[in-house]
Amino acid sequence: MKVLVIGGGGREHALAWKLAQGQKVSQVYVATGNGGTARDHRFKNVPITDVKALADFVESEKIGLTVVGPEAYLALGVVDEFRARGLRIFGPTKAAAQLESSKAYAKDFMKRHGIPTAAYETFGDVASAKAYVDRMGAPIVIKADGLAAGKGVVVAMTLKEAHDAIEWILEENRLGVTHNAGGACVVIEEFMQGEEASFIVLCDGKNVLALATSQDHKRLQDGDQGPNTGGMGAYSPAPVVTPNVHAKVMHEIIHPTIAGMAKDGHPFTGFLYAGLMIDAQGNPRTVEFNTRMGDPETQPIMMRLKSDLCDVLMHATDGTLDGVELQWDRRVALGVVLAAEGYPLHPRKGDAITGLPPETEDAVVFHAGTAEKDGVLLTSGGRVLCVTALGESVRTAQQHAYDAIKSIEFAGKQFRTDIGHRAAKR
Ligand code: AMP
Ligand code: GLY
């Protein structure tokens, strides 16, 4: 069977890598892929980004399963288009993808269905937004309503920072957000304290299958300092998600969300990613929903998955996930992102990359912002590589990943030296 992965980041490289191990998989296409998938005979890059053209390609190549990586395609309705043409695709419809594409929709949904999350208000004008912030006090969280590739959120420690963020979003769009219909809008939220974790499940519309837990590091610099990014590294499992917390998340967040979406007429199919804040008492609340896999969480999760991903996704698209049990490597997987100079605001492109270590059973370099030009591998985006390794403990996985990085060189490379620090302390 031929399969297609839509996207070109580290997440898509890891999904394609895992799908290629499938018993029934004869060819893995990646649209559009990256320098890593271009170089590897297991994959074939396809230079198509248009939704209708992708469906045409799938029809003409007789591709049996398509998996969507990035949220932007979901928000464009790629799943609706494929389904209308009778093509098998794993992901949420455009309507269901609003759980991620509109923070206002997600917050209203959670309120309506009693799903624990931070208190919030939505504003379209600067004066009332500022007045609300003054009433609530700092710290407070300001979010742009719309897709922002993880950069549309300001955790304001002071009122001044909160006011500035409101102006950036509503007047200047300095965060570069793609606004939803109706124009710029901010969601202002209560600041939640605790430890974050990524909780990702597969859904087939009614059945749910939890993936291994994970945790990412959103800030650019060591010690969780510096600006928010798409994620500078991740590991799985996340020790903060104890069996007790896991049960609470399923009972209080995941099941009510799936039931609520079905009740609202938008049954959820695809990866559902709940970003959690877990307080000192072990009570989880939802920071956000994503309607796709996490990046870089996918890289360590795929390294730990022993089951045949293609088989699992065939069940997921048949509505028979209740018959599936996932097998996991009991080791820890940990991925460290190497980012380009200037990331996250103005990443530089075109630097030559050398010294990539060969893939081994327990260390893989997943590519993201890389491109191959005349046989040379160049940086082509903000997050360039995610070096992912397995180990018996967090510390050994950490050591292993950092060892694998040593030989990799490109001008201006940035990476954190403390990925996994919270888990290593537990
Ligand atoms: P989001 O894009 O909604 O996931 O937000 C990005 C990051 O901002 C999260 O991973 C958190 O670290 C932080 N954040 C977002 N909302 C809150 C909140 N209500 N309280 C505390 N931190 C938050
Ligand atoms: N790593 C966070 C995300 O994928 O949204």
Side-chain angles (χ1 to χ4, degrees):
M1 190 175 112
K2 296 176 179 177
V3 301
L4 168 68
V5 176
I6 298 180
R11 165 184 51 209
E12 290 78 21
H13 189 178
L15 289 169
W17 174 85
K18 188 66 210 172
L19 284 166
Q21 297 168 15
Q23 285 288 322
K24 302 186 191 80
V25 175
S26 58
Q27 177 72 61
V28 180
Y29 294 98
V30 192
T32 57
N34 54 41
T37 52
R39 289 189 149 196
D40 192 323
H41 67 275
R42 289 172 289 187
F43 316 112
K44 201 165 165 36
N45 283 358
V46 189
I48 305 175
T49 54
D50 175 73
V51 166
K52 284 196 160 57
L54 282 165
D56 292 342
F57 176 75
V58 164
E59 269 172 359
S60 68
E61 288 296 317
K62 302 196 167 43
I63 289 169
L65 171 70
T66 300
V67 186
V68 190
E71 59 274 26
Y73 285 94
L74 301 167
L76 282 172
V78 69
V79 171
D80 310 65
E81 172 72 18
F82 273 52
R83 285 206 189 138
R85 292 163 69 160
L87 304 173
R88 188 188 285 261
I89 187 164
F90 187 60
T93 59
K94 183 175 178 172
Q98 287 179 94
L99 270 185
E100 172 167 4
S101 62
S102 167
K103 292 204 188 272
Y105 174 92
K107 295 298 285 191
D108 289 342
F109 173 88
M110 287 190 265
K111 195 186 252 180
R112 214 165 48 243
H113 295 285
I115 295 160
T117 189
Y120 73 99
E121 293 284 340
T122 306
F123 299 92
D125 76 284
V126 173
S128 39
K130 284 186 177 172
Y132 179 73
V133 161
D134 291 342
R135 213 158 57 241
M136 302 307 286
I140 194 156
V141 182
I142 316 292
K143 301 186 176 188
D145 183 42
L147 290 179
K151 288 169 277 185
V153 174
V154 175
V155 178
M157 299 316 287
T158 63
L159 289 176
K160 162 115 182 38
E161 278 179 75
H163 286 192
D164 287 349
I166 290 167
E167 286 173 17
W168 293 349
I169 293 168
L170 289 180
E171 286 173 350
E172 303 164 35
N173 196 17
R174 284 247 294 270
L175 300 176
V177 174
T178 312
H179 293 307
N180 288 314
C185 185
V186 279
V187 175
I188 303 185
E189 273 188 23
E190 164 197 1
F191 174 77
M192 295 188 283
Q193 212 126 31
E195 187 167 340
E196 287 182 74
S198 305
F199 199 101
I200 308 175
V201 300
L202 296 165
C203 312
D204 65 9
K206 56 180 194 296
N207 302 298
V208 179
L209 195 58
L211 295 178
T213 58
S214 58
Q215 204 164 35
D216 83 345
H217 295 259
K218 291 227 167 69
R219 302 296 196 98
L220 182 69
Q221 288 145 10
D222 282 5
D224 299 317
Q225 303 295 311
N228 258 320
T229 70
M232 292 298 290
Y235 53 92
S236 170
V240 64
V241 185
T242 60
N244 184 32
V245 172
H246 197 284
K248 275 193 192 177
V249 175
M250 291 301 284
H251 183 68
E252 295 170 14
I253 296 173
I254 301 295
H255 286 305
T257 300
I258 300 305
M261 290 300 283
K263 199 167 152 213
D264 289 356
H266 306 306
F268 194 91
T269 51
F271 295 107
L272 179 67
Y273 166 151
L276 304 176
M277 187 69 81
I278 300 159
D279 72 13
Q281 287 72 46
N283 291 312
R285 286 201 280 172
T286 314
V287 178
E288 60 161 354
F289 284 119
N290 295 315
T291 59
R292 50 167 176 83
M293 283 296 284
D295 191 343
E297 290 94 327
T298 306
Q299 292 85 316
I301 291 174
M302 286 302 125
M303 274 198 77
R304 291 190 61 220
L305 181 64
K306 286 181 152 176
S307 309
D308 187 318
L309 180 62
C310 183
D311 277 353
V312 174
L313 296 183
M314 292 304 278
H315 276 285
T317 44
D318 277 336
T320 55
L321 272 182
D322 48 341
V324 181
E325 205 176 306
L326 296 175
Q327 305 297 322
W328 298 100
D329 194 316
R330 58 178 178 74
R331 288 176 290 178
V332 174
L334 185 142
V336 179
V337 168
L338 300 184
E341 162 114 28
Y343 180 72
L345 282 181
H346 305 290
R348 186 174 71 204
K349 298 177 183 175
D351 291 307
I353 305 165
T354 58
L356 291 181
E359 180 174 325
T360 61
E361 179 272 329
D362 53 4
V364 181
V365 178
F366 293 111
H367 290 233
T370 70
E372 181 146 65
K373 205 174 163 206
D374 307 325
V376 180
L377 194 67
L378 301 174
T379 63
S380 68
R383 291 186 291 176
V384 177
L385 302 165
C386 181
V387 180
T388 310
L390 290 161
E392 293 296 331
S393 66
V394 177
R395 282 186 198 284
T396 49
Q398 225 173 19
Q399 222 160 42
H400 202 156
Y402 282 107
D403 279 347
I405 281 180
K406 280 191 185 135
S407 59
I408 304 175
E409 291 298 340
F410 59 87
K413 116 188 133 181
Q414 312 186 63
F415 64 95
R416 283 181 59 161
T417 64
D418 65 348
I419 299 303
H421 69 89
R422 278 191 220 92
K425 275 194 220 91
R426 277 176 182 264

